[in-house]
Amino acid sequence: SLFDLLCVDYAPRRSDCIFAFAGRPERKRHGIELWHRGFAPTLLLSVGRFEWRRFPELGLPEDGGLKRMAEEIPPPKRHFFVTVTRQGISCERVHVGPFGTHSEARALAAYARRAGLRTILIASTRVHLRRVALTVGRSLRGSGVETAYTAVPEERSSIRRREWWRAPATRRLVLLEFLKYLYYWIRLRP
């Protein structure tokens, strides 16, 4: 089915860093859960232009300066990486252009090089992961960084395999994701 074509999902594995893409809040919650379970010493959360307002709902002890930084930056330039470790939380602004997932992947690649990462566990919603794998693979090509992909569990996902075609909103979302994947596949071909 179309839904299955878009999916990439493996069991989580230990890595240097867990990265959760911006967008649906369950992505960050899944990343936080994996971090609490010890899958990586570092958690990197991508936070979009309006997502910062809901950041306190994630239950982390602080925001690393996210709120203050977001209030000082105009909305079109608001995209952040929040780094969470046992030592604390920090926040940095990153540039994300019109192709959000691709821009996030490029920013992740730059972060991986700076931090000397060798392995990254990437968390996102199931139907987003095929496009994520394509663009992250392209952005990290030649870097020696290994990636693994894990989806938000079905029972906690806002887009479920068994029900996606029933609601017009999720039907549109899956079809749009398919079109985005095709566009990325054509645009990012070697």
Side-chain angles (χ1 to χ4, degrees), residues 112-131:
R113 285 191 267 294
R114 278 193 326 267
L117 300 178
R118 293 169 305 167
T119 56
I120 304 171
L121 176 60
I122 297 173
S124 193
T125 42
R126 186 159 293 177
V127 296
H128 187 224
L129 280 173
R130 173 109 21 223
R131 183 162 55 105

PDB file of all heavy atoms in Angstrom, residues 112-131:
ATOM      1  N   ALA A 112      26.502  16.954  13.325  1.00  0.00           N
ATOM      2  CA  ALA A 112      27.218  15.673  13.484  1.00  0.00           C
ATOM      3  C   ALA A 112      28.716  15.860  13.280  1.00  0.00           C
ATOM      4  O   ALA A 112      29.524  15.298  14.025  1.00  0.00           O
ATOM      5  CB  ALA A 112      26.668  14.645  12.497  1.00  0.00           C
ATOM      6  N   ARG A 113      29.083  16.662  12.290  1.00  0.00           N
ATOM      7  CA  ARG A 113      30.514  16.913  12.053  1.00  0.00           C
ATOM      8  C   ARG A 113      31.136  17.672  13.221  1.00  0.00           C
ATOM      9  O   ARG A 113      32.215  17.340  13.689  1.00  0.00           O
ATOM     10  CB  ARG A 113      30.697  17.679  10.745  1.00  0.00           C
ATOM     11  CG  ARG A 113      30.518  16.815   9.511  1.00  0.00           C
ATOM     12  CD  ARG A 113      30.967  17.498   8.229  1.00  0.00           C
ATOM     13  NE  ARG A 113      29.966  18.213   7.478  1.00  0.00           N
ATOM     14  CZ  ARG A 113      28.922  17.671   6.866  1.00  0.00           C
ATOM     15  NH1 ARG A 113      28.693  16.400   6.946  1.00  0.00           N
ATOM     16  NH2 ARG A 113      28.088  18.411   6.179  1.00  0.00           N
ATOM     17  N   ARG A 114      30.451  18.730  13.687  1.00  0.00           N
ATOM     18  CA  ARG A 114      30.963  19.524  14.815  1.00  0.00           C
ATOM     19  C   ARG A 114      31.109  18.684  16.077  1.00  0.00           C
ATOM     20  O   ARG A 114      32.061  18.829  16.823  1.00  0.00           O
ATOM     21  CB  ARG A 114      30.021  20.695  15.125  1.00  0.00           C
ATOM     22  CG  ARG A 114      30.179  21.900  14.286  1.00  0.00           C
ATOM     23  CD  ARG A 114      29.436  23.112  14.856  1.00  0.00           C
ATOM     24  NE  ARG A 114      28.193  22.854  15.542  1.00  0.00           N
ATOM     25  CZ  ARG A 114      26.987  22.886  14.998  1.00  0.00           C
ATOM     26  NH1 ARG A 114      26.846  23.152  13.713  1.00  0.00           N
ATOM     27  NH2 ARG A 114      25.904  22.662  15.719  1.00  0.00           N
ATOM     28  N   ALA A 115      30.115  17.823  16.325  1.00  0.00           N
ATOM     29  CA  ALA A 115      30.093  17.040  17.563  1.00  0.00           C
ATOM     30  C   ALA A 115      30.899  15.745  17.458  1.00  0.00           C
ATOM     31  O   ALA A 115      31.052  15.047  18.463  1.00  0.00           O
ATOM     32  CB  ALA A 115      28.650  16.724  17.943  1.00  0.00           C
ATOM     33  N   GLY A 116      31.379  15.430  16.272  1.00  0.00           N
ATOM     34  CA  GLY A 116      32.148  14.201  16.080  1.00  0.00           C
ATOM     35  C   GLY A 116      31.312  12.936  16.241  1.00  0.00           C
ATOM     36  O   GLY A 116      31.810  11.908  16.705  1.00  0.00           O
ATOM     37  N   LEU A 117      30.064  13.002  15.838  1.00  0.00           N
ATOM     38  CA  LEU A 117      29.181  11.841  15.972  1.00  0.00           C
ATOM     39  C   LEU A 117      29.568  10.751  14.973  1.00  0.00           C
ATOM     40  O   LEU A 117      29.953  11.043  13.849  1.00  0.00           O
ATOM     41  CB  LEU A 117      27.720  12.236  15.738  1.00  0.00           C
ATOM     42  CG  LEU A 117      27.127  13.291  16.672  1.00  0.00           C
ATOM     43  CD1 LEU A 117      25.686  13.589  16.267  1.00  0.00           C
ATOM     44  CD2 LEU A 117      27.194  12.843  18.120  1.00  0.00           C
ATOM     45  N   ARG A 118      29.414   9.517  15.411  1.00  0.00           N
ATOM     46  CA  ARG A 118      29.645   8.376  14.511  1.00  0.00           C
ATOM     47  C   ARG A 118      28.346   7.662  14.188  1.00  0.00           C
ATOM     48  O   ARG A 118      28.221   7.045  13.140  1.00  0.00           O
ATOM     49  CB  ARG A 118      30.617   7.390  15.132  1.00  0.00           C
ATOM     50  CG  ARG A 118      32.038   7.960  15.281  1.00  0.00           C
ATOM     51  CD  ARG A 118      32.870   7.062  16.135  1.00  0.00           C
ATOM     52  NE  ARG A 118      32.115   6.919  17.385  1.00  0.00           N
ATOM     53  CZ  ARG A 118      32.341   6.036  18.319  1.00  0.00           C
ATOM     54  NH1 ARG A 118      33.305   5.203  18.218  1.00  0.00           N
ATOM     55  NH2 ARG A 118      31.598   5.975  19.417  1.00  0.00           N
ATOM     56  N   THR A 119      27.367   7.742  15.104  1.00  0.00           N
ATOM     57  CA  THR A 119      26.082   7.072  14.900  1.00  0.00           C
ATOM     58  C   THR A 119      24.945   7.978  15.359  1.00  0.00           C
ATOM     59  O   THR A 119      25.062   8.661  16.377  1.00  0.00           O
ATOM     60  CB  THR A 119      26.008   5.745  15.683  1.00  0.00           C
ATOM     61  OG1 THR A 119      26.263   6.007  17.061  1.00  0.00           O
ATOM     62  CG2 THR A 119      27.020   4.731  15.163  1.00  0.00           C
ATOM     63  N   ILE A 120      23.850   7.973  14.601  1.00  0.00           N
ATOM     64  CA  ILE A 120      22.670   8.767  14.939  1.00  0.00           C
ATOM     65  C   ILE A 120      21.434   7.890  14.792  1.00  0.00           C
ATOM     66  O   ILE A 120      21.254   7.221  13.770  1.00  0.00           O
ATOM     67  CB  ILE A 120      22.523  10.002  14.018  1.00  0.00           C
ATOM     68  CG1 ILE A 120      23.774  10.879  14.041  1.00  0.00           C
ATOM     69  CG2 ILE A 120      21.291  10.820  14.414  1.00  0.00           C
ATOM     70  CD1 ILE A 120      23.766  11.984  13.002  1.00  0.00           C
ATOM     71  N   LEU A 121      20.593   7.908  15.788  1.00  0.00           N
ATOM     72  CA  LEU A 121      19.302   7.241  15.747  1.00  0.00           C
ATOM     73  C   LEU A 121      18.259   8.316  15.461  1.00  0.00           C
ATOM     74  O   LEU A 121      18.125   9.270  16.232  1.00  0.00           O
ATOM     75  CB  LEU A 121      19.004   6.546  17.080  1.00  0.00           C
ATOM     76  CG  LEU A 121      17.643   5.881  17.221  1.00  0.00           C
ATOM     77  CD1 LEU A 121      17.444   4.789  16.175  1.00  0.00           C
ATOM     78  CD2 LEU A 121      17.486   5.319  18.628  1.00  0.00           C
ATOM     79  N   ILE A 122      17.547   8.178  14.362  1.00  0.00           N
ATOM     80  CA  ILE A 122      16.609   9.206  13.928  1.00  0.00           C
ATOM     81  C   ILE A 122      15.180   8.746  14.191  1.00  0.00           C
ATOM     82  O   ILE A 122      14.781   7.661  13.768  1.00  0.00           O
ATOM     83  CB  ILE A 122      16.827   9.541  12.453  1.00  0.00           C
ATOM     84  CG1 ILE A 122      18.236  10.120  12.302  1.00  0.00           C
ATOM     85  CG2 ILE A 122      15.759  10.497  11.948  1.00  0.00           C
ATOM     86  CD1 ILE A 122      18.681  10.350  10.904  1.00  0.00           C
ATOM     87  N   ALA A 123      14.425   9.602  14.885  1.00  0.00           N
ATOM     88  CA  ALA A 123      13.038   9.297  15.238  1.00  0.00           C
ATOM     89  C   ALA A 123      12.101  10.243  14.499  1.00  0.00           C
ATOM     90  O   ALA A 123      12.319  11.457  14.479  1.00  0.00           O
ATOM     91  CB  ALA A 123      12.839   9.447  16.744  1.00  0.00           C
ATOM     92  N   SER A 124      11.068   9.663  13.907  1.00  0.00           N
ATOM     93  CA  SER A 124      10.047  10.475  13.261  1.00  0.00           C
ATOM     94  C   SER A 124       8.786   9.626  13.118  1.00  0.00           C
ATOM     95  O   SER A 124       8.763   8.476  13.528  1.00  0.00           O
ATOM     96  CB  SER A 124      10.520  10.975  11.890  1.00  0.00           C
ATOM     97  OG  SER A 124       9.645  11.990  11.422  1.00  0.00           O
ATOM     98  N   THR A 125       7.765  10.212  12.509  1.00  0.00           N
ATOM     99  CA  THR A 125       6.560   9.445  12.252  1.00  0.00           C
ATOM    100  C   THR A 125       6.837   8.481  11.106  1.00  0.00           C
ATOM    101  O   THR A 125       7.656   8.745  10.234  1.00  0.00           O
ATOM    102  CB  THR A 125       5.380  10.375  11.905  1.00  0.00           C
ATOM    103  OG1 THR A 125       5.841  11.403  11.041  1.00  0.00           O
ATOM    104  CG2 THR A 125       4.794  11.013  13.131  1.00  0.00           C
ATOM    105  N   ARG A 126       6.154   7.370  11.133  1.00  0.00           N
ATOM    106  CA  ARG A 126       6.406   6.267  10.197  1.00  0.00           C
ATOM    107  C   ARG A 126       6.370   6.715   8.742  1.00  0.00           C
ATOM    108  O   ARG A 126       7.279   6.394   7.974  1.00  0.00           O
ATOM    109  CB  ARG A 126       5.375   5.176  10.451  1.00  0.00           C
ATOM    110  CG  ARG A 126       5.612   3.928   9.662  1.00  0.00           C
ATOM    111  CD  ARG A 126       4.916   2.800  10.307  1.00  0.00           C
ATOM    112  NE  ARG A 126       5.671   2.667  11.559  1.00  0.00           N
ATOM    113  CZ  ARG A 126       5.419   1.839  12.536  1.00  0.00           C
ATOM    114  NH1 ARG A 126       4.451   1.057  12.457  1.00  0.00           N
ATOM    115  NH2 ARG A 126       6.134   1.797  13.611  1.00  0.00           N
ATOM    116  N   VAL A 127       5.344   7.452   8.311  1.00  0.00           N
ATOM    117  CA  VAL A 127       5.235   7.817   6.898  1.00  0.00           C
ATOM    118  C   VAL A 127       6.239   8.899   6.481  1.00  0.00           C
ATOM    119  O   VAL A 127       6.415   9.137   5.291  1.00  0.00           O
ATOM    120  CB  VAL A 127       3.808   8.254   6.503  1.00  0.00           C
ATOM    121  CG1 VAL A 127       2.837   7.109   6.653  1.00  0.00           C
ATOM    122  CG2 VAL A 127       3.360   9.470   7.267  1.00  0.00           C
ATOM    123  N   HIS A 128       6.896   9.511   7.417  1.00  0.00           N
ATOM    124  CA  HIS A 128       7.888  10.544   7.128  1.00  0.00           C
ATOM    125  C   HIS A 128       9.276   9.932   6.925  1.00  0.00           C
ATOM    126  O   HIS A 128      10.148  10.540   6.302  1.00  0.00           O
ATOM    127  CB  HIS A 128       7.900  11.535   8.309  1.00  0.00           C
ATOM    128  CG  HIS A 128       8.735  12.747   8.120  1.00  0.00           C
ATOM    129  ND1 HIS A 128       9.566  13.223   9.114  1.00  0.00           N
ATOM    130  CD2 HIS A 128       8.862  13.608   7.089  1.00  0.00           C
ATOM    131  CE1 HIS A 128      10.174  14.317   8.691  1.00  0.00           C
ATOM    132  NE2 HIS A 128       9.757  14.579   7.475  1.00  0.00           N
ATOM    133  N   LEU A 129       9.492   8.731   7.399  1.00  0.00           N
ATOM    134  CA  LEU A 129      10.845   8.181   7.483  1.00  0.00           C
ATOM    135  C   LEU A 129      11.495   7.825   6.143  1.00  0.00           C
ATOM    136  O   LEU A 129      12.709   7.891   6.019  1.00  0.00           O
ATOM    137  CB  LEU A 129      10.889   6.982   8.424  1.00  0.00           C
ATOM    138  CG  LEU A 129      10.942   7.373   9.894  1.00  0.00           C
ATOM    139  CD1 LEU A 129      10.800   6.143  10.787  1.00  0.00           C
ATOM    140  CD2 LEU A 129      12.228   8.118  10.231  1.00  0.00           C
ATOM    141  N   ARG A 130      10.760   7.452   5.128  1.00  0.00           N
ATOM    142  CA  ARG A 130      11.394   7.145   3.829  1.00  0.00           C
ATOM    143  C   ARG A 130      12.037   8.411   3.274  1.00  0.00           C
ATOM    144  O   ARG A 130      13.163   8.402   2.805  1.00  0.00           O
ATOM    145  CB  ARG A 130      10.374   6.572   2.850  1.00  0.00           C
ATOM    146  CG  ARG A 130      10.926   6.407   1.468  1.00  0.00           C
ATOM    147  CD  ARG A 130      11.203   5.059   0.944  1.00  0.00           C
ATOM    148  NE  ARG A 130      10.542   3.951   1.532  1.00  0.00           N
ATOM    149  CZ  ARG A 130      11.164   2.812   1.799  1.00  0.00           C
ATOM    150  NH1 ARG A 130      12.453   2.686   1.552  1.00  0.00           N
ATOM    151  NH2 ARG A 130      10.524   1.797   2.320  1.00  0.00           N
ATOM    152  N   ARG A 131      11.322   9.530   3.338  1.00  0.00           N
ATOM    153  CA  ARG A 131      11.877  10.803   2.848  1.00  0.00           C
ATOM    154  C   ARG A 131      13.029  11.245   3.740  1.00  0.00           C
ATOM    155  O   ARG A 131      14.049  11.749   3.267  1.00  0.00           O
ATOM    156  CB  ARG A 131      10.777  11.872   2.801  1.00  0.00           C
ATOM    157  CG  ARG A 131      11.235  13.198   2.237  1.00  0.00           C
ATOM    158  CD  ARG A 131      10.062  14.048   1.812  1.00  0.00           C
ATOM    159  NE  ARG A 131       9.086  14.261   2.846  1.00  0.00           N
ATOM    160  CZ  ARG A 131       8.949  15.410   3.524  1.00  0.00           C
ATOM    161  NH1 ARG A 131       9.748  16.428   3.276  1.00  0.00           N
ATOM    162  NH2 ARG A 131       8.011  15.524   4.432  1.00  0.00           N
TER     163      ARG A 131
END
